[in-house]
Amino acid sequence: MSDNPFFATSTLVHELPPFAEIREEHYLPAFDQGMALQLDEIAGIVADPEPPTFDNTVVALERSGAMLKRVAAAFENQGDSDTSPGLQELDAEISPRLARHRDAVHLDAGLFARIDALYRRRSELGLDPESLRLLERRHTAFVRAGAELPAADQQRLREINAELAAAATAFRRNLMDDTRARAIVLDGPEQLAGLSADAVAAAAENGRALGRDGSYVLSLKNFSNQTELAQLTDRSLRERLLAASLGRAAEANGPLAIRTAGLRAERAALLGHPSHAAYVVADETAGSVAAVDAMLARLAGPAVANAEREAAELLAAARADGLTSIAAHDWAYYAERVRQSAYQVDAAELRPYLELERVLHDGVFFAAQLVYGVVLQERPELVAYHPDARVFEVFDGDGGSLGLFVGDFFARDSKRGGAWMNELVQQSHLLGKRPVVVNNLNIAKPAPGEPALLTWDEVRTLFHEFGHALHGLFSDVRYPLFAGTEVPRDFVEFPSQVNEMWMVRPEVLANYARHHATGEPLPAELVERMAAAESFGQGFRTVEYLGAAVIDWAWHTLPAGTEVADAEEFEAQALARAGLAVAAVPPRYRTAYFSHVFAGEYSAGYYAYIWSEVLDADTVEWFASNGLGARESGEVFRRELLARGGSRPALDCFRAVVGRDPEIGPLLARRGLA
């Protein structure tokens, strides 16, 4: 396939993949060729007659696999953002092959022998700090992949990794299919009483996009408690919507989750760890299972007590409607009623002031310029992978081009749920590359010509994901292994959570929160009421989150050989043991649709969000109290942390900014748990 665009480096700005030329049939030949080329490069490193040196072994490994990285990055992004039956079939075929390919590299005895020889004499090599860290991290990666195991154990490891890759692909596909199938289809707008006019119009547009003209369709988001639950006045519809969400993929993915957890536990045992969680956390900032156990236990009791106090307030409001208890499908609805009554804050009242384009340009991008001096300019002539995905060039304060940002904000049937950041190109001075990063959200697409009005949580998500984007864009490292978000899983959410702080900074909020029709600013008294209401609901949000973290942790602290008969019963027992079995507050994710854990990179790592929030809350305090302006503080945060990626230990980056070890107090105060 001489016309295959993956066979040559892209000539577009910063090597943006040439999406206008890429077709589905290009992927498989490019994967085949990319894997073969990298194995040839590895063979060349091993066959080098010269003794191993840092350059001819470690740097050579870092340079290898260029074509495979190109195709894998584009394929992963398209599979997440704009999949198709053909791409799903290819994913099922290629995922186990990629797992076998990774094992072929990490379990190559000759390659590891060269790396190990260098590692053992690393103090004699005269390496600069980043190069020394590269050697150490590469050695650690090979050991953790099984390079020191006997041949029989390595063979079993290969089998496990291939089966896990296939299971993850099946989990994703099952979830996407059942999520589509469980969308709530309604005949008329009267059934959506309580939703804002723009939300009703978006449901109609969703119906049209799904081939159901005249219907109103509520597609499910990836988490448990659907956003519409806060407004829908029809209690039976709320119950139906939540039941559809909570029941997703249970029959297909429950057994897959059991099998996946068992395989991960077996692999951990082969590698000398008592559980998959112990294996994972040994290479994270938490360091030990005990440290995570202690944090989750410390937070659970106060969070439940906080949620119970909130439940009492909700029940007082619900009694006016004749209810004697609060069910899970009632919580969000009556929480919104309490906010309106106690704080005079109505979510529907906010939406006209939160129009996507203004939030993006005058909020997210404005804050980035205010804090870091960068400017984003849309490049409509650059084609992305879908018409809704838009390309922006990012310019630094000196006018130089930092990289590209791709924003893909609207939900569609071909996109997985949730919000995330991908990297199409990683920054590297060694390879002469600038970053190309993608943000995906799932905002309901409005009817043509209508504004996209956001919820407050969607504004937060927009700022959060752009925090990940900045982490990738500001990367300033030599080696691609350390680029941008290549940091421990329980650290990666920290910079993105910090970026959320700018959404409520007065100078930023005043710049973007304007009525989409009149241009009038968000009323000052409403801003004050929002601030007062911010702490309300923290009990619910913390219990909801901790429930998911505990489910993940329970699956992955199982020792090898543990028999689990039923996934739903297992998660119920895990929540009860942790004191988090609150019937009215379902976990943010249940096992069967917990794709972070069973089809993503967060296995035994969902605790990372609140672990990172300890650092985040502490850093927000630092920004507020360090005596520097936003721009000066931003330069410190960028230079000492965002730019460093994984090139030095994560907590060393934190200490370089804040000047000390992290403290949990600010998090407890923020969450109402102090």
Side-chain angles (χ1 to χ4, degrees):
M1 296 183 71
S2 59
D3 65 339
N4 193 312
F6 291 115
F7 279 39
T9 302
S10 170
T11 59
L12 297 176
V13 180
H14 299 317
E15 299 182 21
L16 175 73
F19 290 111
E21 303 170 22
I22 294 171
R23 301 189 303 274
E24 283 188 15
E25 59 264 31
H26 290 139
Y27 281 113
L28 185 56
F31 272 119
D32 287 339
Q33 182 77 345
M35 287 187 279
L37 286 174
Q38 187 172 33
L39 291 180
D40 285 346
E41 291 165 334
I42 299 301
I45 295 171
V46 174
D48 190 336
E50 295 296 318
T53 67
F54 181 75
D55 285 335
N56 72 18
T57 300
V58 182
V59 172
L61 176 59
E62 199 74 352
R63 290 183 182 278
S64 72
M67 181 176 172
L68 181 58
K69 290 173 186 174
R70 286 198 298 272
V71 62
F75 180 75
E76 178 186 355
N77 185 79
Q78 190 162 355
D80 286 342
S81 307
D82 189 28
T83 194
S84 68
L87 289 175
Q88 289 179 325
E89 291 296 330
L90 179 55
D91 189 24
E93 176 183 350
I94 206 69
S95 290
R97 291 181 57 193
L98 286 172
R100 289 192 288 271
H101 175 78
R102 289 189 292 269
D103 283 337
V105 174
H106 284 112
L107 300 180
D108 186 303
L111 180 60
F112 179 64
R114 293 177 72 94
I115 292 172
D116 190 51
L118 292 167
Y119 178 77
R120 292 178 185 278
R121 40 188 292 268
R122 61 192 180 280
S123 62
E124 307 166 13
L125 301 179
L127 299 176
D128 63 83
E130 186 177 344
S131 297
L132 176 60
R133 182 161 172 80
L134 178 65
L135 172 57
E136 292 173 342
R137 293 304 300 163
R138 281 294 186 190
H139 187 269
T140 296
F142 273 73
V143 171
R144 285 175 59 80
E148 294 182 326
L149 293 179
D153 287 348
Q154 286 189 352
Q155 178 55 34
R156 178 57 187 148
L157 201 64
R158 293 174 194 265
E159 295 166 357
I160 289 171
N161 287 339
E163 187 174 350
L164 283 171
T169 299
F171 192 100
R172 281 193 296 270
R173 188 166 187 172
N174 292 340
L175 177 56
M176 179 170 275
D177 289 348
D178 204 38
T179 296
R180 288 171 179 160
R182 287 171 173 265
I184 304 297
V185 181
L186 303 168
D187 296 329
E190 67 280 353
Q191 296 171 278
L192 295 174
L195 292 190
S196 62
D198 68 283
V200 173
E205 173 64 18
N206 193 30
R208 187 202 61 76
L210 296 175
R212 293 177 173 271
D213 285 0
S215 295
Y216 294 75
V217 180
L218 301 179
S219 293
L220 298 177
K221 287 79 174 174
N222 65 329
F223 40 77
S224 296
N225 284 284
Q226 302 298 297
T227 53
E228 295 87 357
L229 294 172
Q231 278 82 43
L232 288 170
T233 59
D234 185 335
R235 190 173 189 237
S236 64
L237 179 56
R238 296 201 305 268
E239 183 175 15
R240 178 183 165 195
L241 178 60
L242 184 58
S245 176
L246 295 177
R248 271 174 291 170
E251 185 174 342
N253 280 352
L256 266 180
I258 292 171
R259 180 61 177 158
T260 296
L263 288 170
R264 287 170 174 168
E266 182 185 353
R267 181 176 61 185
L270 284 173
L271 294 166
H273 296 272
S275 67
H276 179 68
Y279 166 77
V280 168
V281 81
D283 203 39
E284 306 291 333
T285 66
S288 70
V289 169
V292 178
D293 284 342
M295 182 195 65
L296 295 177
R298 178 174 184 178
L299 297 175
V304 169
N306 201 354
E308 288 173 345
R309 288 191 292 270
E310 292 171 4
E313 292 187 63
L314 304 189
L315 184 55
R319 284 198 176 103
D321 293 337
L323 299 187
T324 57
S325 63
I326 293 291
H329 53 271
D330 297 319
W331 191 294
Y333 180 76
Y334 286 102
E336 188 60 32
R337 293 266 290 268
V338 169
R339 278 191 198 90
Q340 293 176 23
S341 173
Y343 304 102
Q344 290 77 55
V345 172
D346 182 351
E349 185 184 2
L350 289 176
R351 286 171 65 91
Y353 296 92
L354 305 175
E355 189 270 325
L356 172 61
E357 289 304 305
R358 190 179 286 273
V359 174
L360 182 67
H361 288 275
D362 298 342
V364 175
F365 294 171
F366 173 77
Q369 183 174 11
L370 177 74
V371 182
Y372 303 110
V374 298
V375 175
L376 285 89
Q377 178 181 321
E378 190 155 7
R379 297 286 304 271
E381 78 280 11
L382 295 177
V383 177
Y385 51 86
H386 187 276
D388 286 346
R390 301 151 60 187
V391 182
F392 300 80
E393 189 164 7
V394 187
F395 295 95
D396 213 343
D398 62 3
S401 181
L402 270 176
L404 297 179
F405 169 73
V406 182
D408 185 358
F409 305 116
F410 294 122
R412 53 181 169 268
D413 205 33
S414 61
K415 183 192 284 192
R416 72 173 173 89
W420 66 95
M421 173 265 209
N422 280 339
E423 290 182 287
L424 293 171
V425 181
Q426 289 183 309
Q427 180 271 332
S428 166
H429 293 305
L430 175 72
L431 305 179
K433 295 184 184 295
R434 294 284 190 178
V436 179
V437 304
V438 183
N439 273 178
N440 267 280
L441 276 73
N442 268 280
I443 297 164
K445 190 172 184 178
E450 295 299 315
L453 304 182
L454 310 185
T455 67
W456 191 238
D457 280 345
E458 286 170 337
V459 173
R460 190 184 310 279
T461 300
L462 200 61
F463 275 85
H464 177 99
E465 294 304 329
F466 196 70
H468 285 306
L470 290 174
H471 204 174
L473 289 164
F474 288 154
S475 180
D476 190 16
V477 300
R478 189 180 318 161
Y479 304 113
L481 184 69
F482 298 142
T485 56
E486 296 293 336
V487 297
R489 182 61 55 193
D490 58 6
F491 191 81
V492 74
E493 297 297 334
F494 158 48
S496 55
Q497 289 169 336
V498 167
N499 203 59
E500 294 174 22
M501 69 179 284
W502 303 110
M503 68 181 282
V504 294
R505 278 284 288 247
E507 64 270 43
V508 179
L509 183 65
N511 203 55
Y512 74 81
R514 292 180 172 272
H515 197 283
H516 72 94
T518 68
E520 291 296 313
L522 188 67
E525 67 274 12
L526 183 53
V527 174
E528 294 169 3
R529 284 184 265 134
M530 286 169 56
E534 187 67 20
S535 63
F536 181 77
Q538 284 292 352
F540 174 89
R541 287 190 288 271
T542 307
V543 170
E544 178 193 48
Y545 163 77
L546 290 175
V550 161
I551 288 171
D552 168 35
W553 202 241
W555 281 114
H556 293 114
T557 49
L558 291 174
T562 304
E563 296 289 335
V564 176
D566 181 81
E568 292 188 355
E569 178 62 25
F570 177 84
E571 71 174 37
Q573 292 173 358
L575 292 169
R577 284 195 305 272
L580 290 163
V582 182
V585 186
R588 186 167 177 82
Y589 299 99
R590 297 189 66 192
T591 297
Y593 52 92
F594 208 164
S595 57
H596 284 73
V597 166
F598 291 106
E601 298 178 350
Y602 277 80
S603 61
Y606 198 67
Y607 78 90
Y609 284 91
I610 206 154
W611 189 274
S612 294
E613 196 179 343
V614 173
L615 309 179
D616 152 40
D618 211 359
T619 303
V620 169
E621 291 285 320
W622 173 81
F623 267 98
S625 62
N626 63 21
L628 303 174
R631 186 76 176 82
E632 294 169 288
S633 297
E635 280 302 307
V636 174
F637 193 64
R638 174 179 174 176
R639 181 183 66 247
E640 298 294 344
L641 195 143
L642 297 176
R644 296 283 191 146
S647 66
R648 71 177 177 191
L651 290 180
D652 285 358
C653 294
F654 174 87
R655 295 183 190 102
V657 173
V658 179
R660 54 167 172 75
D661 287 339
E663 297 175 355
I664 198 172
L667 168 69
L668 297 177
R670 174 192 288 181
R671 290 265 178 175
L673 305 176

